[in-house]
Amino acid sequence: NEYQYFVTFWMEKYDSRDKLLIVMYEDLIDYDEGPIAATKIADFLGQTDGVEPIGREYIPCVWHAIVKYKEVVVSKSGIESENKERKLVPSSPDSLREGPTERPYNSQQLELLKNLVEGLIEQFHNDEEFVAIMSTYLETISSTVALD
């Protein structure tokens, strides 16, 4: 499985876990957790020689400009508009995220996903952060209703 290979590659690439940062996509796009995840990324990158992240006080603003740039904005006059411009990189329209938020799966696909995630949890059971993240995904998979 390509996903299992991908995860295994990165989990085993470094001798020290301090050289690997894992961030859940769901956390990164969440209003409360997103700026926290962005701060973790900035702190992690800041440990590298020559990398100087922006000031911590600016991270929530930069996070919002990058991640939530398409949200509906209500002006003082009460008029709603969709903010489609990226404040930091206005010339990258191909980065606008769109598409379905729900992904329908049949029971066979859900069982395969469940087995894959359980296998990864077993494989990297000593990594508490990884296990916590994958357990969150396992809960989601387990609570998903199959199409068939």
Side-chain angles (χ1 to χ4, degrees):
N1 178 302
E2 290 180 32
Y3 182 73
Q4 184 174 8
Y5 174 78
F6 171 82
V7 170
T8 301
F9 174 83
W10 286 107
M11 290 297 292
E12 294 178 347
K13 180 170 176 64
Y14 301 105
D15 293 336
S16 171
R17 179 61 166 76
D18 295 340
K19 296 181 180 180
L20 178 66
L21 176 68
I22 302 173
V23 178
M24 279 182 59
Y25 172 77
E26 292 80 2
D27 285 350
L28 192 58
I29 64 169
D30 182 79
Y31 272 99
D32 295 323
E33 295 297 324
I36 296 168
T39 301
K40 287 180 185 177
I41 293 169
D43 291 345
F44 179 77
L45 294 174
Q47 296 173 16
T48 304
D49 290 338
V51 176
E52 295 183 32
I54 63 168
R56 293 172 70 88
E57 68 274 17
Y58 302 114
I59 292 174
C61 180
V62 171
W63 170 85
H64 191 271
I66 293 171
V67 177
K68 297 297 184 182
Y69 61 93
K70 285 187 68 178
E71 73 178 353
V72 173
V73 178
V74 179
S75 69
K76 290 180 183 178
S77 62
I79 298 171
E80 290 186 11
S81 66
E82 192 172 342
N83 181 13
K84 289 191 176 188
E85 288 188 35
R86 262 191 132 148
K87 302 281 189 276
L88 299 179
V89 188
S91 62
S92 62
D94 58 339
S95 65
L96 300 180
R97 292 178 306 277
E98 292 184 359
T101 57
E102 298 295 321
R103 307 256 190 300
Y105 297 101
N106 64 37
S107 55
Q108 182 182 8
Q109 291 169 323
L110 288 170
E111 188 64 26
L112 286 170
L113 280 171
K114 180 176 171 270
N115 291 338
L116 172 67
V117 171
E118 287 174 340
L120 288 169
I121 289 172
E122 184 178 323
Q123 184 177 355
F124 300 107
H125 65 275
N126 291 327
D127 190 308
E128 291 179 23
E129 182 182 23
F130 179 82
V131 169
I133 289 170
M134 296 308 284
S135 295
T136 300
Y137 289 132
L138 187 58
E139 288 174 25
T140 301
I141 293 165
S142 298
S143 66
T144 299
V145 178
L147 287 178
D148 51 10

PDB file of all heavy atoms in Angstrom, residues 45-80:
ATOM      1  N   LEU A  45      10.518  24.599  12.398  1.00  0.00           N
ATOM      2  CA  LEU A  45      11.394  25.110  11.339  1.00  0.00           C
ATOM      3  C   LEU A  45      12.451  26.050  11.903  1.00  0.00           C
ATOM      4  O   LEU A  45      13.573  26.109  11.391  1.00  0.00           O
ATOM      5  CB  LEU A  45      10.566  25.815  10.269  1.00  0.00           C
ATOM      6  CG  LEU A  45       9.634  24.914   9.471  1.00  0.00           C
ATOM      7  CD1 LEU A  45       8.760  25.738   8.544  1.00  0.00           C
ATOM      8  CD2 LEU A  45      10.413  23.858   8.700  1.00  0.00           C
ATOM      9  N   GLY A  46      12.115  26.770  12.959  1.00  0.00           N
ATOM     10  CA  GLY A  46      13.041  27.698  13.581  1.00  0.00           C
ATOM     11  C   GLY A  46      14.236  27.026  14.228  1.00  0.00           C
ATOM     12  O   GLY A  46      15.235  27.689  14.537  1.00  0.00           O
ATOM     13  N   GLN A  47      14.181  25.713  14.417  1.00  0.00           N
ATOM     14  CA  GLN A  47      15.307  24.973  14.981  1.00  0.00           C
ATOM     15  C   GLN A  47      16.405  24.739  13.944  1.00  0.00           C
ATOM     16  O   GLN A  47      17.495  24.293  14.293  1.00  0.00           O
ATOM     17  CB  GLN A  47      14.834  23.622  15.524  1.00  0.00           C
ATOM     18  CG  GLN A  47      13.873  23.727  16.673  1.00  0.00           C
ATOM     19  CD  GLN A  47      13.294  22.374  17.060  1.00  0.00           C
ATOM     20  OE1 GLN A  47      13.798  21.327  16.677  1.00  0.00           O
ATOM     21  NE2 GLN A  47      12.211  22.403  17.814  1.00  0.00           N
ATOM     22  N   THR A  48      16.119  25.040  12.687  1.00  0.00           N
ATOM     23  CA  THR A  48      17.067  24.821  11.603  1.00  0.00           C
ATOM     24  C   THR A  48      17.923  26.064  11.403  1.00  0.00           C
ATOM     25  O   THR A  48      17.400  27.182  11.353  1.00  0.00           O
ATOM     26  CB  THR A  48      16.304  24.497  10.297  1.00  0.00           C
ATOM     27  OG1 THR A  48      15.460  23.375  10.528  1.00  0.00           O
ATOM     28  CG2 THR A  48      17.257  24.203   9.160  1.00  0.00           C
ATOM     29  N   ASP A  49      19.221  25.873  11.283  1.00  0.00           N
ATOM     30  CA  ASP A  49      20.131  26.991  11.035  1.00  0.00           C
ATOM     31  C   ASP A  49      19.714  27.736   9.772  1.00  0.00           C
ATOM     32  O   ASP A  49      19.438  27.114   8.741  1.00  0.00           O
ATOM     33  CB  ASP A  49      21.570  26.491  10.875  1.00  0.00           C
ATOM     34  CG  ASP A  49      22.160  25.993  12.184  1.00  0.00           C
ATOM     35  OD1 ASP A  49      21.655  26.396  13.247  1.00  0.00           O
ATOM     36  OD2 ASP A  49      23.124  25.200  12.130  1.00  0.00           O
ATOM     37  N   GLY A  50      19.655  29.051   9.869  1.00  0.00           N
ATOM     38  CA  GLY A  50      19.326  29.882   8.720  1.00  0.00           C
ATOM     39  C   GLY A  50      17.842  30.116   8.505  1.00  0.00           C
ATOM     40  O   GLY A  50      17.459  30.874   7.628  1.00  0.00           O
ATOM     41  N   VAL A  51      16.998  29.452   9.280  1.00  0.00           N
ATOM     42  CA  VAL A  51      15.549  29.631   9.142  1.00  0.00           C
ATOM     43  C   VAL A  51      15.081  30.515  10.289  1.00  0.00           C
ATOM     44  O   VAL A  51      15.248  30.181  11.455  1.00  0.00           O
ATOM     45  CB  VAL A  51      14.792  28.292   9.169  1.00  0.00           C
ATOM     46  CG1 VAL A  51      13.286  28.521   9.129  1.00  0.00           C
ATOM     47  CG2 VAL A  51      15.239  27.398   8.030  1.00  0.00           C
ATOM     48  N   GLU A  52      14.493  31.642   9.938  1.00  0.00           N
ATOM     49  CA  GLU A  52      13.971  32.563  10.939  1.00  0.00           C
ATOM     50  C   GLU A  52      12.479  32.761  10.699  1.00  0.00           C
ATOM     51  O   GLU A  52      12.086  33.550   9.841  1.00  0.00           O
ATOM     52  CB  GLU A  52      14.719  33.892  10.871  1.00  0.00           C
ATOM     53  CG  GLU A  52      16.178  33.766  11.243  1.00  0.00           C
ATOM     54  CD  GLU A  52      16.894  35.104  11.239  1.00  0.00           C
ATOM     55  OE1 GLU A  52      16.256  36.127  11.548  1.00  0.00           O
ATOM     56  OE2 GLU A  52      18.089  35.093  10.921  1.00  0.00           O
ATOM     57  N   PRO A  53      11.645  32.044  11.434  1.00  0.00           N
ATOM     58  CA  PRO A  53      10.200  32.190  11.256  1.00  0.00           C
ATOM     59  C   PRO A  53       9.730  33.592  11.642  1.00  0.00           C
ATOM     60  O   PRO A  53      10.425  34.316  12.359  1.00  0.00           O
ATOM     61  CB  PRO A  53       9.597  31.161  12.204  1.00  0.00           C
ATOM     62  CG  PRO A  53      10.725  30.331  12.692  1.00  0.00           C
ATOM     63  CD  PRO A  53      11.986  31.095  12.458  1.00  0.00           C
ATOM     64  N   ILE A  54       8.554  33.944  11.195  1.00  0.00           N
ATOM     65  CA  ILE A  54       7.979  35.236  11.574  1.00  0.00           C
ATOM     66  C   ILE A  54       7.713  35.240  13.075  1.00  0.00           C
ATOM     67  O   ILE A  54       7.688  34.191  13.719  1.00  0.00           O
ATOM     68  CB  ILE A  54       6.669  35.513  10.801  1.00  0.00           C
ATOM     69  CG1 ILE A  54       5.603  34.464  11.141  1.00  0.00           C
ATOM     70  CG2 ILE A  54       6.926  35.601   9.311  1.00  0.00           C
ATOM     71  CD1 ILE A  54       4.230  34.828  10.643  1.00  0.00           C
ATOM     72  N   GLY A  55       7.490  36.409  13.623  1.00  0.00           N
ATOM     73  CA  GLY A  55       7.189  36.532  15.042  1.00  0.00           C
ATOM     74  C   GLY A  55       5.937  35.765  15.416  1.00  0.00           C
ATOM     75  O   GLY A  55       4.968  35.729  14.653  1.00  0.00           O
ATOM     76  N   ARG A  56       5.957  35.159  16.578  1.00  0.00           N
ATOM     77  CA  ARG A  56       4.825  34.338  17.029  1.00  0.00           C
ATOM     78  C   ARG A  56       3.511  35.118  17.038  1.00  0.00           C
ATOM     79  O   ARG A  56       2.452  34.563  16.798  1.00  0.00           O
ATOM     80  CB  ARG A  56       5.112  33.765  18.410  1.00  0.00           C
ATOM     81  CG  ARG A  56       6.254  32.756  18.413  1.00  0.00           C
ATOM     82  CD  ARG A  56       6.627  32.349  19.825  1.00  0.00           C
ATOM     83  NE  ARG A  56       5.608  31.532  20.460  1.00  0.00           N
ATOM     84  CZ  ARG A  56       5.527  30.221  20.371  1.00  0.00           C
ATOM     85  NH1 ARG A  56       6.402  29.563  19.663  1.00  0.00           N
ATOM     86  NH2 ARG A  56       4.574  29.559  20.993  1.00  0.00           N
ATOM     87  N   GLU A  57       3.584  36.416  17.317  1.00  0.00           N
ATOM     88  CA  GLU A  57       2.364  37.225  17.383  1.00  0.00           C
ATOM     89  C   GLU A  57       1.694  37.373  16.013  1.00  0.00           C
ATOM     90  O   GLU A  57       0.509  37.693  15.927  1.00  0.00           O
ATOM     91  CB  GLU A  57       2.651  38.605  17.990  1.00  0.00           C
ATOM     92  CG  GLU A  57       3.516  39.511  17.141  1.00  0.00           C
ATOM     93  CD  GLU A  57       5.023  39.330  17.325  1.00  0.00           C
ATOM     94  OE1 GLU A  57       5.459  38.297  17.874  1.00  0.00           O
ATOM     95  OE2 GLU A  57       5.751  40.234  16.908  1.00  0.00           O
ATOM     96  N   TYR A  58       2.437  37.140  14.925  1.00  0.00           N
ATOM     97  CA  TYR A  58       1.892  37.267  13.570  1.00  0.00           C
ATOM     98  C   TYR A  58       1.369  35.940  13.012  1.00  0.00           C
ATOM     99  O   TYR A  58       0.685  35.931  11.989  1.00  0.00           O
ATOM    100  CB  TYR A  58       2.951  37.820  12.609  1.00  0.00           C
ATOM    101  CG  TYR A  58       3.491  39.160  13.025  1.00  0.00           C
ATOM    102  CD1 TYR A  58       4.813  39.304  13.408  1.00  0.00           C
ATOM    103  CD2 TYR A  58       2.669  40.283  13.046  1.00  0.00           C
ATOM    104  CE1 TYR A  58       5.315  40.541  13.805  1.00  0.00           C
ATOM    105  CE2 TYR A  58       3.159  41.514  13.441  1.00  0.00           C
ATOM    106  CZ  TYR A  58       4.480  41.634  13.809  1.00  0.00           C
ATOM    107  OH  TYR A  58       4.968  42.857  14.203  1.00  0.00           O
ATOM    108  N   ILE A  59       1.699  34.854  13.655  1.00  0.00           N
ATOM    109  CA  ILE A  59       1.348  33.533  13.112  1.00  0.00           C
ATOM    110  C   ILE A  59      -0.162  33.364  12.903  1.00  0.00           C
ATOM    111  O   ILE A  59      -0.580  32.917  11.845  1.00  0.00           O
ATOM    112  CB  ILE A  59       1.953  32.404  13.974  1.00  0.00           C
ATOM    113  CG1 ILE A  59       3.477  32.426  13.813  1.00  0.00           C
ATOM    114  CG2 ILE A  59       1.382  31.041  13.594  1.00  0.00           C
ATOM    115  CD1 ILE A  59       4.219  31.472  14.720  1.00  0.00           C
ATOM    116  N   PRO A  60      -1.031  33.722  13.861  1.00  0.00           N
ATOM    117  CA  PRO A  60      -2.472  33.559  13.601  1.00  0.00           C
ATOM    118  C   PRO A  60      -2.948  34.345  12.374  1.00  0.00           C
ATOM    119  O   PRO A  60      -3.767  33.846  11.595  1.00  0.00           O
ATOM    120  CB  PRO A  60      -3.132  34.076  14.883  1.00  0.00           C
ATOM    121  CG  PRO A  60      -2.092  33.872  15.939  1.00  0.00           C
ATOM    122  CD  PRO A  60      -0.782  34.145  15.248  1.00  0.00           C
ATOM    123  N   CYS A  61      -2.423  35.534  12.179  1.00  0.00           N
ATOM    124  CA  CYS A  61      -2.819  36.346  11.028  1.00  0.00           C
ATOM    125  C   CYS A  61      -2.359  35.708   9.719  1.00  0.00           C
ATOM    126  O   CYS A  61      -3.119  35.618   8.758  1.00  0.00           O
ATOM    127  CB  CYS A  61      -2.244  37.756  11.170  1.00  0.00           C
ATOM    128  SG  CYS A  61      -2.681  38.852   9.811  1.00  0.00           S
ATOM    129  N   VAL A  62      -1.129  35.266   9.690  1.00  0.00           N
ATOM    130  CA  VAL A  62      -0.597  34.615   8.492  1.00  0.00           C
ATOM    131  C   VAL A  62      -1.328  33.311   8.248  1.00  0.00           C
ATOM    132  O   VAL A  62      -1.692  32.990   7.111  1.00  0.00           O
ATOM    133  CB  VAL A  62       0.930  34.394   8.614  1.00  0.00           C
ATOM    134  CG1 VAL A  62       1.454  33.527   7.477  1.00  0.00           C
ATOM    135  CG2 VAL A  62       1.662  35.727   8.660  1.00  0.00           C
ATOM    136  N   TRP A  63      -1.597  32.545   9.308  1.00  0.00           N
ATOM    137  CA  TRP A  63      -2.365  31.300   9.173  1.00  0.00           C
ATOM    138  C   TRP A  63      -3.720  31.588   8.531  1.00  0.00           C
ATOM    139  O   TRP A  63      -4.124  30.917   7.590  1.00  0.00           O
ATOM    140  CB  TRP A  63      -2.548  30.639  10.550  1.00  0.00           C
ATOM    141  CG  TRP A  63      -3.516  29.499  10.511  1.00  0.00           C
ATOM    142  CD1 TRP A  63      -3.248  28.210  10.169  1.00  0.00           C
ATOM    143  CD2 TRP A  63      -4.925  29.559  10.772  1.00  0.00           C
ATOM    144  NE1 TRP A  63      -4.399  27.458  10.206  1.00  0.00           N
ATOM    145  CE2 TRP A  63      -5.438  28.267  10.575  1.00  0.00           C
ATOM    146  CE3 TRP A  63      -5.792  30.572  11.155  1.00  0.00           C
ATOM    147  CZ2 TRP A  63      -6.787  27.966  10.760  1.00  0.00           C
ATOM    148  CZ3 TRP A  63      -7.128  30.275  11.338  1.00  0.00           C
ATOM    149  CH2 TRP A  63      -7.617  28.985  11.136  1.00  0.00           C
ATOM    150  N   HIS A  64      -4.406  32.610   9.030  1.00  0.00           N
ATOM    151  CA  HIS A  64      -5.731  32.941   8.499  1.00  0.00           C
ATOM    152  C   HIS A  64      -5.651  33.357   7.028  1.00  0.00           C
ATOM    153  O   HIS A  64      -6.474  32.954   6.212  1.00  0.00           O
ATOM    154  CB  HIS A  64      -6.383  34.047   9.336  1.00  0.00           C
ATOM    155  CG  HIS A  64      -7.826  34.242   9.003  1.00  0.00           C
ATOM    156  ND1 HIS A  64      -8.237  35.098   8.019  1.00  0.00           N
ATOM    157  CD2 HIS A  64      -8.949  33.665   9.509  1.00  0.00           C
ATOM    158  CE1 HIS A  64      -9.553  35.051   7.933  1.00  0.00           C
ATOM    159  NE2 HIS A  64     -10.004  34.189   8.827  1.00  0.00           N
ATOM    160  N   ALA A  65      -4.652  34.157   6.676  1.00  0.00           N
ATOM    161  CA  ALA A  65      -4.505  34.616   5.290  1.00  0.00           C
ATOM    162  C   ALA A  65      -4.235  33.457   4.343  1.00  0.00           C
ATOM    163  O   ALA A  65      -4.686  33.469   3.194  1.00  0.00           O
ATOM    164  CB  ALA A  65      -3.376  35.645   5.196  1.00  0.00           C
ATOM    165  N   ILE A  66      -3.542  32.436   4.811  1.00  0.00           N
ATOM    166  CA  ILE A  66      -3.196  31.305   3.951  1.00  0.00           C
ATOM    167  C   ILE A  66      -4.284  30.242   3.942  1.00  0.00           C
ATOM    168  O   ILE A  66      -4.676  29.753   2.889  1.00  0.00           O
ATOM    169  CB  ILE A  66      -1.852  30.679   4.395  1.00  0.00           C
ATOM    170  CG1 ILE A  66      -0.722  31.668   4.134  1.00  0.00           C
ATOM    171  CG2 ILE A  66      -1.592  29.363   3.675  1.00  0.00           C
ATOM    172  CD1 ILE A  66       0.599  31.259   4.713  1.00  0.00           C
ATOM    173  N   VAL A  67      -4.805  29.894   5.105  1.00  0.00           N
ATOM    174  CA  VAL A  67      -5.711  28.758   5.216  1.00  0.00           C
ATOM    175  C   VAL A  67      -7.181  29.145   5.057  1.00  0.00           C
ATOM    176  O   VAL A  67      -7.951  28.429   4.434  1.00  0.00           O
ATOM    177  CB  VAL A  67      -5.493  28.023   6.562  1.00  0.00           C
ATOM    178  CG1 VAL A  67      -6.483  26.888   6.737  1.00  0.00           C
ATOM    179  CG2 VAL A  67      -4.063  27.505   6.649  1.00  0.00           C
ATOM    180  N   LYS A  68      -7.578  30.279   5.579  1.00  0.00           N
ATOM    181  CA  LYS A  68      -8.999  30.655   5.579  1.00  0.00           C
ATOM    182  C   LYS A  68      -9.301  31.809   4.621  1.00  0.00           C
ATOM    183  O   LYS A  68     -10.240  32.555   4.838  1.00  0.00           O
ATOM    184  CB  LYS A  68      -9.434  31.029   7.008  1.00  0.00           C
ATOM    185  CG  LYS A  68      -9.340  29.887   7.980  1.00  0.00           C
ATOM    186  CD  LYS A  68     -10.278  28.752   7.596  1.00  0.00           C
ATOM    187  CE  LYS A  68     -10.260  27.649   8.624  1.00  0.00           C
ATOM    188  NZ  LYS A  68     -11.120  26.528   8.258  1.00  0.00           N
ATOM    189  N   TYR A  69      -8.536  31.903   3.567  1.00  0.00           N
ATOM    190  CA  TYR A  69      -8.686  33.026   2.652  1.00  0.00           C
ATOM    191  C   TYR A  69      -9.977  33.016   1.854  1.00  0.00           C
ATOM    192  O   TYR A  69     -10.340  34.017   1.258  1.00  0.00           O
ATOM    193  CB  TYR A  69      -7.493  33.102   1.697  1.00  0.00           C
ATOM    194  CG  TYR A  69      -7.340  31.880   0.831  1.00  0.00           C
ATOM    195  CD1 TYR A  69      -7.912  31.808  -0.431  1.00  0.00           C
ATOM    196  CD2 TYR A  69      -6.631  30.786   1.295  1.00  0.00           C
ATOM    197  CE1 TYR A  69      -7.784  30.686  -1.203  1.00  0.00           C
ATOM    198  CE2 TYR A  69      -6.488  29.671   0.518  1.00  0.00           C
ATOM    199  CZ  TYR A  69      -7.059  29.619  -0.732  1.00  0.00           C
ATOM    200  OH  TYR A  69      -6.926  28.508  -1.496  1.00  0.00           O
ATOM    201  N   LYS A  70     -10.711  31.900   1.820  1.00  0.00           N
ATOM    202  CA  LYS A  70     -11.953  31.839   1.048  1.00  0.00           C
ATOM    203  C   LYS A  70     -13.201  31.960   1.910  1.00  0.00           C
ATOM    204  O   LYS A  70     -14.306  31.784   1.422  1.00  0.00           O
ATOM    205  CB  LYS A  70     -12.012  30.533   0.265  1.00  0.00           C
ATOM    206  CG  LYS A  70     -11.102  30.535  -0.934  1.00  0.00           C
ATOM    207  CD  LYS A  70     -11.314  29.326  -1.762  1.00  0.00           C
ATOM    208  CE  LYS A  70     -12.673  29.412  -2.397  1.00  0.00           C
ATOM    209  NZ  LYS A  70     -12.982  28.306  -3.277  1.00  0.00           N
ATOM    210  N   GLU A  71     -13.050  32.256   3.164  1.00  0.00           N
ATOM    211  CA  GLU A  71     -14.216  32.313   4.027  1.00  0.00           C
ATOM    212  C   GLU A  71     -15.116  33.490   3.665  1.00  0.00           C
ATOM    213  O   GLU A  71     -14.700  34.455   3.035  1.00  0.00           O
ATOM    214  CB  GLU A  71     -13.801  32.408   5.489  1.00  0.00           C
ATOM    215  CG  GLU A  71     -13.253  33.753   5.871  1.00  0.00           C
ATOM    216  CD  GLU A  71     -12.899  33.816   7.346  1.00  0.00           C
ATOM    217  OE1 GLU A  71     -13.190  32.879   8.087  1.00  0.00           O
ATOM    218  OE2 GLU A  71     -12.323  34.824   7.732  1.00  0.00           O
ATOM    219  N   VAL A  72     -16.354  33.380   4.070  1.00  0.00           N
ATOM    220  CA  VAL A  72     -17.302  34.463   3.845  1.00  0.00           C
ATOM    221  C   VAL A  72     -17.036  35.552   4.884  1.00  0.00           C
ATOM    222  O   VAL A  72     -16.943  35.284   6.073  1.00  0.00           O
ATOM    223  CB  VAL A  72     -18.757  33.955   3.952  1.00  0.00           C
ATOM    224  CG1 VAL A  72     -19.735  35.106   3.893  1.00  0.00           C
ATOM    225  CG2 VAL A  72     -19.033  32.947   2.853  1.00  0.00           C
ATOM    226  N   VAL A  73     -16.895  36.767   4.402  1.00  0.00           N
ATOM    227  CA  VAL A  73     -16.614  37.906   5.265  1.00  0.00           C
ATOM    228  C   VAL A  73     -17.846  38.791   5.316  1.00  0.00           C
ATOM    229  O   VAL A  73     -18.445  39.091   4.290  1.00  0.00           O
ATOM    230  CB  VAL A  73     -15.409  38.708   4.711  1.00  0.00           C
ATOM    231  CG1 VAL A  73     -15.135  39.913   5.574  1.00  0.00           C
ATOM    232  CG2 VAL A  73     -14.188  37.820   4.610  1.00  0.00           C
ATOM    233  N   VAL A  74     -18.247  39.194   6.521  1.00  0.00           N
ATOM    234  CA  VAL A  74     -19.390  40.084   6.685  1.00  0.00           C
ATOM    235  C   VAL A  74     -18.843  41.481   6.989  1.00  0.00           C
ATOM    236  O   VAL A  74     -18.127  41.687   7.960  1.00  0.00           O
ATOM    237  CB  VAL A  74     -20.325  39.607   7.818  1.00  0.00           C
ATOM    238  CG1 VAL A  74     -21.485  40.564   7.973  1.00  0.00           C
ATOM    239  CG2 VAL A  74     -20.800  38.190   7.567  1.00  0.00           C
ATOM    240  N   SER A  75     -19.195  42.423   6.112  1.00  0.00           N
ATOM    241  CA  SER A  75     -18.705  43.794   6.298  1.00  0.00           C
ATOM    242  C   SER A  75     -19.491  44.490   7.412  1.00  0.00           C
ATOM    243  O   SER A  75     -20.502  43.986   7.890  1.00  0.00           O
ATOM    244  CB  SER A  75     -18.839  44.574   4.995  1.00  0.00           C
ATOM    245  OG  SER A  75     -20.212  44.792   4.716  1.00  0.00           O
ATOM    246  N   LYS A  76     -19.041  45.675   7.777  1.00  0.00           N
ATOM    247  CA  LYS A  76     -19.723  46.443   8.822  1.00  0.00           C
ATOM    248  C   LYS A  76     -21.158  46.767   8.433  1.00  0.00           C
ATOM    249  O   LYS A  76     -22.025  46.916   9.281  1.00  0.00           O
ATOM    250  CB  LYS A  76     -18.952  47.731   9.102  1.00  0.00           C
ATOM    251  CG  LYS A  76     -17.637  47.490   9.786  1.00  0.00           C
ATOM    252  CD  LYS A  76     -16.898  48.782  10.040  1.00  0.00           C
ATOM    253  CE  LYS A  76     -15.550  48.492  10.664  1.00  0.00           C
ATOM    254  NZ  LYS A  76     -14.770  49.695  10.887  1.00  0.00           N
ATOM    255  N   SER A  77     -21.420  46.860   7.129  1.00  0.00           N
ATOM    256  CA  SER A  77     -22.774  47.167   6.666  1.00  0.00           C
ATOM    257  C   SER A  77     -23.655  45.916   6.610  1.00  0.00           C
ATOM    258  O   SER A  77     -24.817  45.986   6.245  1.00  0.00           O
ATOM    259  CB  SER A  77     -22.729  47.829   5.287  1.00  0.00           C
ATOM    260  OG  SER A  77     -22.150  46.937   4.349  1.00  0.00           O
ATOM    261  N   GLY A  78     -23.074  44.744   6.951  1.00  0.00           N
ATOM    262  CA  GLY A  78     -23.858  43.515   6.971  1.00  0.00           C
ATOM    263  C   GLY A  78     -23.863  42.769   5.652  1.00  0.00           C
ATOM    264  O   GLY A  78     -24.571  41.779   5.506  1.00  0.00           O
ATOM    265  N   ILE A  79     -23.091  43.218   4.678  1.00  0.00           N
ATOM    266  CA  ILE A  79     -23.053  42.561   3.374  1.00  0.00           C
ATOM    267  C   ILE A  79     -22.028  41.428   3.417  1.00  0.00           C
ATOM    268  O   ILE A  79     -20.884  41.612   3.825  1.00  0.00           O
ATOM    269  CB  ILE A  79     -22.679  43.570   2.257  1.00  0.00           C
ATOM    270  CG1 ILE A  79     -23.742  44.663   2.193  1.00  0.00           C
ATOM    271  CG2 ILE A  79     -22.527  42.867   0.922  1.00  0.00           C
ATOM    272  CD1 ILE A  79     -23.374  45.811   1.286  1.00  0.00           C
ATOM    273  N   GLU A  80     -22.484  40.231   2.991  1.00  0.00           N
ATOM    274  CA  GLU A  80     -21.590  39.080   2.957  1.00  0.00           C
ATOM    275  C   GLU A  80     -20.870  39.019   1.628  1.00  0.00           C
ATOM    276  O   GLU A  80     -21.452  39.276   0.584  1.00  0.00           O
ATOM    277  CB  GLU A  80     -22.376  37.778   3.148  1.00  0.00           C
ATOM    278  CG  GLU A  80     -22.917  37.597   4.538  1.00  0.00           C
ATOM    279  CD  GLU A  80     -23.562  36.239   4.739  1.00  0.00           C
ATOM    280  OE1 GLU A  80     -23.407  35.370   3.855  1.00  0.00           O
ATOM    281  OE2 GLU A  80     -24.206  36.049   5.764  1.00  0.00           O
TER     282      GLU A  80
END
